[in-house]
Short mmCIF file of all heavy atoms in Angstrom, two decimals:
data_model
loop_
_atom_site.label_atom_id
_atom_site.label_comp_id
_atom_site.label_asym_id
_atom_site.label_seq_id
_atom_site.Cartn_x
_atom_site.Cartn_y
_atom_site.Cartn_z
N LYS A 23 2.47 -2.23 2.71
CA LYS A 23 3.27 -3.47 2.65
C LYS A 23 2.77 -4.49 3.67
O LYS A 23 2.56 -5.65 3.35
CB LYS A 23 4.74 -3.11 2.94
CG LYS A 23 5.61 -4.29 3.29
CD LYS A 23 7.05 -3.89 3.51
CE LYS A 23 7.44 -3.46 4.89
NZ LYS A 23 7.56 -4.52 5.89
N ASN A 24 2.62 -4.04 4.92
CA ASN A 24 2.35 -4.99 6.00
C ASN A 24 0.91 -5.52 5.99
O ASN A 24 0.58 -6.39 6.78
CB ASN A 24 2.72 -4.39 7.36
CG ASN A 24 4.23 -4.23 7.47
OD1 ASN A 24 4.98 -4.83 6.70
ND2 ASN A 24 4.68 -3.41 8.41
N LEU A 27 1.22 -8.12 2.15
CA LEU A 27 1.95 -9.39 2.30
C LEU A 27 1.06 -10.45 2.94
O LEU A 27 1.02 -11.60 2.51
CB LEU A 27 3.18 -9.18 3.21
CG LEU A 27 4.36 -8.39 2.63
CD1 LEU A 27 5.34 -8.02 3.73
CD2 LEU A 27 5.06 -9.21 1.55
N LYS A 28 0.30 -10.02 3.95
CA LYS A 28 -0.50 -11.01 4.72
C LYS A 28 -1.74 -11.43 3.95
O LYS A 28 -2.17 -12.58 4.02
CB LYS A 28 -0.93 -10.44 6.07
CG LYS A 28 0.03 -9.52 6.80
CD LYS A 28 1.35 -10.13 7.14
CE LYS A 28 2.28 -9.13 7.82
NZ LYS A 28 1.77 -8.38 8.93
N ARG A 94 10.51 -12.67 6.46
CA ARG A 94 9.99 -13.07 7.77
C ARG A 94 8.57 -13.63 7.65
O ARG A 94 8.19 -14.55 8.36
CB ARG A 94 10.02 -11.84 8.67
CG ARG A 94 9.70 -12.17 10.08
CD ARG A 94 10.02 -11.05 11.02
NE ARG A 94 9.49 -11.38 12.32
CZ ARG A 94 10.05 -12.24 13.14
NH1 ARG A 94 11.14 -12.86 12.81
NH2 ARG A 94 9.50 -12.51 14.31
N VAL A 95 7.76 -13.04 6.75
CA VAL A 95 6.37 -13.49 6.66
C VAL A 95 6.23 -14.90 6.09
O VAL A 95 5.15 -15.46 6.10
CB VAL A 95 5.47 -12.53 5.83
CG1 VAL A 95 5.27 -11.22 6.53
CG2 VAL A 95 6.00 -12.36 4.43
N ILE A 120 16.33 -6.14 12.99
CA ILE A 120 16.05 -5.04 13.93
C ILE A 120 15.87 -5.59 15.34
O ILE A 120 15.27 -4.98 16.19
CB ILE A 120 14.81 -4.24 13.49
CG1 ILE A 120 13.63 -5.18 13.23
CG2 ILE A 120 15.12 -3.40 12.27
CD1 ILE A 120 12.37 -4.48 12.78
N ARG A 123 14.19 -11.06 16.90
CA ARG A 123 12.98 -11.44 16.17
C ARG A 123 12.67 -12.94 16.26
O ARG A 123 12.57 -13.64 15.25
CB ARG A 123 13.06 -10.97 14.72
CG ARG A 123 13.32 -9.50 14.61
CD ARG A 123 13.00 -8.94 13.27
NE ARG A 123 11.58 -8.64 13.12
CZ ARG A 123 11.06 -8.14 12.00
NH1 ARG A 123 11.82 -7.91 10.96
NH2 ARG A 123 9.78 -7.89 11.93
N PRO A 124 12.53 -13.44 17.49
CA PRO A 124 12.18 -14.85 17.62
C PRO A 124 10.74 -15.11 17.16
O PRO A 124 9.98 -14.17 16.94
CB PRO A 124 12.32 -15.12 19.12
CG PRO A 124 12.24 -13.80 19.77
CD PRO A 124 12.62 -12.76 18.77
N ILE A 125 10.38 -16.38 17.05
CA ILE A 125 9.02 -16.71 16.62
C ILE A 125 8.33 -17.60 17.64
O ILE A 125 7.44 -18.37 17.32
CB ILE A 125 9.04 -17.39 15.22
CG1 ILE A 125 10.17 -18.40 15.18
CG2 ILE A 125 9.16 -16.38 14.12
CD1 ILE A 125 10.17 -19.21 13.94
N ASP A 126 8.78 -17.47 18.90
CA ASP A 126 8.21 -18.31 19.95
C ASP A 126 6.70 -18.11 20.11
O ASP A 126 5.97 -19.05 20.43
CB ASP A 126 8.93 -18.04 21.28
CG ASP A 126 8.92 -16.58 21.64
OD1 ASP A 126 9.35 -15.76 20.82
OD2 ASP A 126 8.45 -16.23 22.73
N ARG A 127 6.21 -16.87 19.88
CA ARG A 127 4.77 -16.63 20.06
C ARG A 127 3.97 -17.35 18.97
O ARG A 127 2.89 -17.87 19.22
CB ARG A 127 4.46 -15.13 20.08
CG ARG A 127 5.12 -14.47 21.30
CD ARG A 127 4.95 -12.98 21.37
NE ARG A 127 6.09 -12.44 22.11
CZ ARG A 127 6.45 -11.17 22.15
NH1 ARG A 127 5.75 -10.27 21.49
NH2 ARG A 127 7.49 -10.79 22.85
N GLN A 128 4.50 -17.35 17.75
CA GLN A 128 3.83 -18.08 16.66
C GLN A 128 3.82 -19.57 16.96
O GLN A 128 2.81 -20.25 16.78
CB GLN A 128 4.57 -17.86 15.33
CG GLN A 128 4.19 -16.59 14.63
CD GLN A 128 5.14 -15.46 14.93
OE1 GLN A 128 5.60 -15.30 16.07
NE2 GLN A 128 5.45 -14.66 13.94
N PRO A 166 1.61 -9.24 22.98
CA PRO A 166 1.01 -9.29 21.64
C PRO A 166 2.07 -9.41 20.54
O PRO A 166 3.22 -9.03 20.73
CB PRO A 166 0.27 -7.95 21.53
CG PRO A 166 0.85 -7.08 22.58
CD PRO A 166 1.43 -7.94 23.65
N SER A 167 1.66 -9.95 19.43
CA SER A 167 2.51 -10.01 18.25
C SER A 167 1.64 -9.72 17.03
O SER A 167 0.59 -10.35 16.85
CB SER A 167 3.14 -11.40 18.10
OG SER A 167 3.62 -11.58 16.79
N HIS A 168 2.09 -8.78 16.21
CA HIS A 168 1.35 -8.36 15.02
C HIS A 168 1.19 -9.56 14.06
O HIS A 168 0.08 -10.02 13.80
CB HIS A 168 2.14 -7.20 14.39
CG HIS A 168 1.55 -6.62 13.15
ND1 HIS A 168 1.95 -5.42 12.64
CD2 HIS A 168 0.63 -7.09 12.30
CE1 HIS A 168 1.28 -5.17 11.53
NE2 HIS A 168 0.49 -6.17 11.31
N THR A 169 2.31 -10.09 13.58
CA THR A 169 2.23 -11.20 12.63
C THR A 169 1.69 -12.46 13.33
O THR A 169 0.98 -13.26 12.71
CB THR A 169 3.63 -11.47 12.02
OG1 THR A 169 4.10 -10.22 11.49
CG2 THR A 169 3.57 -12.45 10.88
N GLU A 193 -2.92 -3.51 15.56
CA GLU A 193 -2.49 -2.63 14.46
C GLU A 193 -3.61 -2.51 13.42
O GLU A 193 -4.35 -3.48 13.17
CB GLU A 193 -1.24 -3.21 13.77
CG GLU A 193 -0.17 -3.73 14.70
CD GLU A 193 0.41 -2.68 15.62
OE1 GLU A 193 0.55 -1.50 15.18
OE2 GLU A 193 0.71 -3.02 16.77
N MET A 308 4.37 4.45 16.70
CA MET A 308 4.88 3.21 16.11
C MET A 308 6.40 3.14 16.08
O MET A 308 7.06 4.14 15.77
CB MET A 308 4.41 3.12 14.66
CG MET A 308 3.24 2.25 14.45
SD MET A 308 3.22 1.77 12.72
CE MET A 308 3.81 0.10 12.83
N THR A 309 6.90 1.95 16.31
CA THR A 309 8.35 1.73 16.20
C THR A 309 8.88 2.13 14.82
O THR A 309 9.98 2.64 14.69
CB THR A 309 8.69 0.25 16.52
OG1 THR A 309 10.03 -0.01 16.15
CG2 THR A 309 7.79 -0.73 15.78
N ASP A 310 8.06 1.92 13.77
CA ASP A 310 8.50 2.24 12.40
C ASP A 310 8.66 3.74 12.16
O ASP A 310 9.21 4.15 11.15
CB ASP A 310 7.50 1.67 11.38
CG ASP A 310 7.41 0.17 11.49
OD1 ASP A 310 8.21 -0.51 10.88
OD2 ASP A 310 6.53 -0.32 12.23
N VAL A 332 9.73 -1.61 21.31
CA VAL A 332 9.11 -2.72 20.56
C VAL A 332 10.17 -3.71 20.05
O VAL A 332 10.05 -4.92 20.28
CB VAL A 332 8.24 -2.19 19.39
CG1 VAL A 332 7.63 -3.34 18.61
CG2 VAL A 332 7.14 -1.29 19.94
N PHE A 333 11.20 -3.20 19.39
CA PHE A 333 12.31 -4.06 18.95
C PHE A 333 13.57 -3.66 19.70
O PHE A 333 13.73 -2.49 20.09
CB PHE A 333 12.54 -3.93 17.44
CG PHE A 333 11.44 -4.55 16.61
CD1 PHE A 333 10.47 -3.74 16.03
CD2 PHE A 333 11.37 -5.91 16.42
CE1 PHE A 333 9.45 -4.31 15.28
CE2 PHE A 333 10.35 -6.48 15.67
CZ PHE A 333 9.38 -5.68 15.09
N GLU A 334 14.49 -4.62 19.87
CA GLU A 334 15.67 -4.31 20.69
C GLU A 334 16.89 -3.86 19.90
O GLU A 334 17.97 -3.70 20.46
CB GLU A 334 16.00 -5.49 21.61
CG GLU A 334 16.59 -6.72 20.96
CD GLU A 334 15.53 -7.67 20.43
OE1 GLU A 334 14.62 -7.20 19.73
OE2 GLU A 334 15.66 -8.88 20.69
N ARG A 336 16.87 -1.21 17.08
CA ARG A 336 16.35 -0.34 16.03
C ARG A 336 17.03 1.02 15.98
O ARG A 336 16.46 2.00 15.53
CB ARG A 336 14.84 -0.19 16.18
CG ARG A 336 14.21 -0.73 14.92
CD ARG A 336 12.78 -0.65 14.75
NE ARG A 336 12.52 -0.91 13.33
CZ ARG A 336 11.32 -0.99 12.81
NH1 ARG A 336 10.26 -0.84 13.56
NH2 ARG A 336 11.16 -1.22 11.53
N GLN A 364 8.16 -4.91 24.39
CA GLN A 364 7.43 -5.93 23.63
C GLN A 364 8.33 -7.12 23.29
O GLN A 364 7.84 -8.20 22.99
CB GLN A 364 6.89 -5.34 22.31
CG GLN A 364 5.99 -4.14 22.51
CD GLN A 364 4.82 -4.46 23.41
OE1 GLN A 364 4.13 -5.45 23.21
NE2 GLN A 364 4.61 -3.64 24.43
N PHE A 365 9.66 -6.91 23.33
CA PHE A 365 10.54 -8.03 23.00
C PHE A 365 10.78 -8.88 24.24
O PHE A 365 10.57 -8.44 25.37
CB PHE A 365 11.87 -7.54 22.40
CG PHE A 365 12.57 -6.47 23.21
CD1 PHE A 365 13.41 -6.79 24.25
CD2 PHE A 365 12.36 -5.12 22.91
CE1 PHE A 365 14.05 -5.80 24.99
CE2 PHE A 365 13.00 -4.12 23.63
CZ PHE A 365 13.84 -4.46 24.68
N ASN A 366 11.25 -10.12 24.01
CA ASN A 366 11.52 -11.04 25.13
C ASN A 366 12.86 -10.66 25.78
O ASN A 366 13.71 -10.06 25.14
CB ASN A 366 11.65 -12.48 24.62
CG ASN A 366 10.37 -12.94 23.94
OD1 ASN A 366 9.30 -12.42 24.22
ND2 ASN A 366 10.50 -13.92 23.05
N LEU A 398 15.01 -1.40 6.69
CA LEU A 398 14.11 -0.61 5.85
C LEU A 398 13.83 0.81 6.37
O LEU A 398 14.04 1.79 5.67
CB LEU A 398 12.79 -1.40 5.73
CG LEU A 398 11.63 -0.71 5.04
CD1 LEU A 398 11.97 -0.39 3.61
CD2 LEU A 398 10.39 -1.60 5.10
N ARG A 399 13.32 0.90 7.60
CA ARG A 399 12.92 2.24 8.10
C ARG A 399 14.15 3.11 8.34
O ARG A 399 14.11 4.33 8.13
CB ARG A 399 12.08 2.12 9.37
CG ARG A 399 10.85 1.25 9.24
CD ARG A 399 9.85 1.73 8.21
NE ARG A 399 8.88 0.69 7.92
CZ ARG A 399 8.07 0.69 6.87
NH1 ARG A 399 8.07 1.67 6.00
NH2 ARG A 399 7.22 -0.31 6.69
N1 EPU B 501 8.37 -11.20 19.25
C1 EPU B 501 8.89 -12.26 19.94
N2 EPU B 501 8.42 -13.50 19.64
C2 EPU B 501 7.49 -13.71 18.67
C3 EPU B 501 6.95 -12.62 17.98
C4 EPU B 501 7.41 -11.35 18.30
O1 EPU B 501 9.74 -12.10 20.81
O2 EPU B 501 7.13 -14.87 18.44
C5 EPU B 501 8.86 -9.85 19.57
C6 EPU B 501 9.52 -9.17 18.36
O3 EPU B 501 10.87 -9.59 18.22
C7 EPU B 501 9.35 -7.73 18.71
C8 EPU B 501 7.99 -7.69 19.42
O4 EPU B 501 7.75 -9.01 19.87
O5 EPU B 501 10.36 -7.32 19.58
C9 EPU B 501 6.82 -7.24 18.55
O6 EPU B 501 6.82 -8.05 17.37
P1 EPU B 501 5.55 -8.23 16.43
O7 EPU B 501 5.38 -9.71 16.21
O8 EPU B 501 4.40 -7.46 16.93
O9 EPU B 501 6.07 -7.57 15.07
P2 EPU B 501 6.19 -8.24 13.66
O10 EPU B 501 4.93 -8.91 13.33
O11 EPU B 501 7.46 -8.99 13.56
C10 EPU B 501 5.21 -6.25 12.31
C11 EPU B 501 5.65 -5.46 11.11
C12 EPU B 501 6.78 -4.53 11.52
C13 EPU B 501 6.23 -3.57 12.57
C14 EPU B 501 5.70 -4.39 13.77
C15 EPU B 501 5.00 -3.52 14.79
C16 EPU B 501 5.22 -6.97 9.30
C17 EPU B 501 5.75 -7.83 8.21
N3 EPU B 501 6.12 -6.38 10.08
O12 EPU B 501 6.36 -6.97 12.75
O13 EPU B 501 7.11 -3.77 10.36
O14 EPU B 501 7.25 -2.74 13.01
O15 EPU B 501 4.75 -5.37 13.32
O16 EPU B 501 3.83 -2.99 14.27
O17 EPU B 501 4.02 -6.80 9.42
C18 EPU B 501 8.60 -2.79 8.84
O18 EPU B 501 7.61 -2.64 8.08
O19 EPU B 501 9.71 -2.29 8.57
C19 EPU B 501 8.44 -3.56 10.06
C20 EPU B 501 9.47 -3.96 10.78
#
Side-chain angles (χ1 to χ4, degrees):
K23 164 178 88 74
N24 291 344
L27 288 168
K28 325 299 178 50
R94 188 167 172 76
V95 291
I120 51 180
R123 305 197 83 180
I125 43 173
D126 54 306
R127 295 176 207 165
Q128 276 96 320
S167 163
H168 180 165
T169 307
E193 316 299 324
M308 260 202 104
T309 169
D310 299 275
V332 179
F333 289 101
E334 72 274 49
R336 241 184 165 176
Q364 303 303 310
F365 51 86
N366 300 336
L398 173 62
R399 305 299 166 195

